[in-house]
Amino acid sequence: MSRREQQRETTLNEIKSLARQQMAAQGAASISLRAIAKEMGLTPAAIYRYFRNYDALITTLIAESYHAQADALQAADRTQPPHDPVARLWAVMLAYRQWALDHPADFQLLYGNPIPNYDAPDELTLPAAQRNFSVFVQILSDADRTGQLQPIPAYQPEHLPPIIAAHLTAMGARDYPQIPISLLYLATMGWAKMHGLILLELFHHTQPVIGDTAAFYALEVEVMMRQMGLHR
Amino acid sequence: MSRREQQRETTLNEIKSLARQQMAAQGAASISLRAIAKEMGLTPAAIYRYFRNYDALITTLIAESYHAQADALQAADRTQPPHDPVARLWAVMLAYRQWALDHPADFQLLYGNPIPNYDAPDELTLPAAQRNFSVFVQILSDADRTGQLQPIPAYQPEHLPPIIAAHLTAMGARDYPQIPISLLYLATMGWAKMHGLILLELFHHTQPVIGDTAAFYALEVEVMMRQMGLHR
DNA sequence: TTACAGTGTAAATGGTGTTTACTTTTTTGT
DNA sequence: ACAAAAAAGTAAACACCATTTACACTGTAA
């Protein structure tokens, strides 16, 4: 790598780092190219040698955050014995919330209000989100193989609404062959429900109502896992 | 009301109306005082005769939206026979989602990402949110009186984590005397869970995964009500 | 060494919220 | 009816913002 290429990379990293600092300090929507440039002793226009425009910077941050989150989930999964899907799911569920609390701005960037006048490109976000989702599918699949996954009747395939079953079948055929649709439903439902709780907590809509958000979250994870037949 | 006061009110309404138009078109974060002024044929500074600043306008919109939502919930409640809490809860749950779909920008304004550099005053939002929450509490309370409310063991008072029970006791003593804490927990949990699902739907994170979001929501409402012992 | 591509600057355009001093209009009190 | 006060609106400025253009410099490669 030539001297110039190396310098370019450090400058690029400095821009992203300062953007993340601003994001952590005042929220993703208040990232300012001019402020970044000023902090670096550059002219605002110089930033445009590194990012085509504001949206390009945001898109890069989103992509990196998605993968950081997926890495955190996979790391949590690996802290538990592979043959113990209950412990693994529990660990990943808690890690999901913990990552959100540790990186609130990142989490909001990924899953919160879309930034004004910015549309995240699907071809980037969908695969990244899927990598995330797959962690849950994998654990449930392992639990299913050992016969531990025994959901309540409402979540068994024959009781799922036909429209949902049809869509899950299509999705399974495309992305998750050999995975039963009721498992896909459990993964979706479990992710969505816990994800919703975390969003509420981050936006401070749950704190006044519930005292201990961690205990609330833990209780709901437990109830949900019981619905899946996954007892501790 | 003098001629001047009347005119002031229509101007004020025109500002709010245009703000809501912008909000509906491009999201709450892109409301612009200058754009509103231009649309009205006014100088930007003129707006400041009606709102102390940008935040004051947002705060007003938030307050109005909170009450519009609460009105919608109460209206849905009253479409059902008072003695049928199952039908009432069902109707209100669906109305909650429907209002969000009909007024996505309002819903995001209330429950989404905080607007950059704006902090909603708690003395305004908390009572408004509580009016909303009380609809659920009231229905569950009616169900409890007729003995229909029979939650699964995990949600019964003696199984709630002590920290949560303590907080609910304090909240109950303050705002809901005579209401058992397990009921308060059910209301909180039910609200939070469905609310989370709606947030995900509005932010388009659920559509690629789940096919029919309405069916998904309905199924989860049904499962949740079954956990409460409220069968149809 | 001469091109050339990469990196940066200066200046301008049009957008934002907000404040200040000033003018016009309407209401109110005598 | 008329003067004083209050309200509504304007013009101009300030300090931000993203973005574009034309231009200069500099490291690299032919």
Side-chain angles (χ1 to χ4, degrees), chain A residues 52-88:
Chain A
R52 202 170 69 278
N53 54 23
Y54 181 87
D55 282 15
L57 171 58
I58 299 294
T59 299
T60 300
L61 293 180
I62 288 180
E64 292 188 0
S65 289
Y66 261 123
H67 285 103
Q69 190 196 26
D71 289 347
L73 293 188
Q74 289 182 335
D77 188 9
R78 290 199 207 92
T79 62
Q80 304 298 317
H83 57 276
D84 187 351
V86 175
R88 287 169 62 197

Side-chain angles (χ1 to χ4, degrees), chain B residues 36-129:
Chain B
I36 293 173
K38 185 183 284 182
E39 193 93 16
M40 295 176 69
L42 285 181
T43 324
I47 304 288
Y48 288 78
R49 299 286 171 199
Y50 297 89
F51 291 95
R52 201 171 70 279
N53 54 23
Y54 182 87
D55 282 14
L57 171 59
I58 299 295
T59 299
T60 300
L61 294 180
I62 287 180
E64 291 188 1
S65 289
Y66 261 123
H67 285 103
Q69 191 196 26
D71 289 346
L73 293 189
Q74 289 183 334
D77 189 9
R78 291 201 205 88
T79 61
Q80 304 297 318
H83 56 276
D84 188 351
V86 175
R88 287 168 61 197
L89 185 55
W90 190 258
V92 169
M93 282 290 188
L94 292 187
Y96 197 87
R97 173 170 175 269
Q98 197 55 53
W99 190 86
L101 295 184
D102 291 342
H103 309 85
D106 299 70
F107 195 85
Q108 291 188 31
L109 185 65
L110 296 185
Y111 302 108
N113 258 354
I115 289 185
N117 309 323
Y118 171 78
D119 271 308
D122 278 2
E123 66 272 16
L124 181 106
T125 60
L126 282 188

Side-chain angles (χ1 to χ4, degrees), chain A residues 108 110-113 155 163-164 167 185 188-189 192-193 195 200 203 205 209-211 216 219-220 223 227, chain B residues 108 110-113 155 163 167 185 188-189 192-193 195 200 203 205 209-212 216 219-220 227:
Chain A
Q108 291 187 30
L110 296 184
Y111 302 110
N113 257 354
Y155 290 149
I163 311 177
I164 290 184
H167 184 267
Y185 185 83
T188 302
M189 183 271 295
K193 216 173 273 187
H195 186 92
L200 279 176
F203 294 166
H205 288 298
V209 188
I210 308 163
F216 181 71
L219 176 56
E220 287 309 319
V223 169
Q227 286 176 10
Chain B
Q108 291 188 31
L110 296 185
Y111 302 108
N113 258 354
Y155 291 147
I163 311 179
H167 184 268
Y185 186 83
T188 302
M189 182 273 294
K193 217 173 273 187
H195 187 93
L200 280 175
F203 293 166
H205 289 298
V209 187
I210 307 162
D212 189 313
F216 180 70
L219 176 55
E220 288 307 319
Q227 288 176 8

Side-chain angles (χ1 to χ4, degrees), chain B residues 134-152:
Chain B
S134 293
V135 177
F136 294 96
V137 173
Q138 188 60 53
I139 297 175
L140 289 183
S141 174
D142 290 352
D144 194 30
R145 258 202 304 280
T146 59
Q148 295 179 71
L149 197 67
Q150 289 172 344
I152 58 172

Side-chain angles (χ1 to χ4, degrees), chain A residues 135-212:
Chain A
V135 178
F136 293 95
V137 173
Q138 189 60 54
I139 296 175
L140 290 183
S141 175
D142 290 353
D144 193 30
R145 257 201 306 278
T146 59
Q148 295 179 71
L149 197 67
Q150 288 171 345
I152 59 172
Y155 290 149
Q156 283 164 14
E158 58 270 23
H159 288 89
L160 288 178
I163 311 177
I164 290 184
H167 184 267
L168 288 175
T169 303
M171 179 175 102
R174 179 166 30 86
D175 301 322
Y176 301 100
Q178 314 294 342
I179 302 274
I181 63 165
S182 66
L183 190 154
L184 291 179
Y185 185 83
L186 288 181
T188 302
M189 183 271 295
W191 169 77
K193 216 173 273 187
M194 296 306 119
H195 186 92
L197 256 50
I198 293 169
L199 270 182
L200 279 176
E201 182 174 356
L202 278 188
F203 294 166
H204 305 111
H205 288 298
T206 188
Q207 190 197 16
V209 188
I210 308 163
D212 188 316

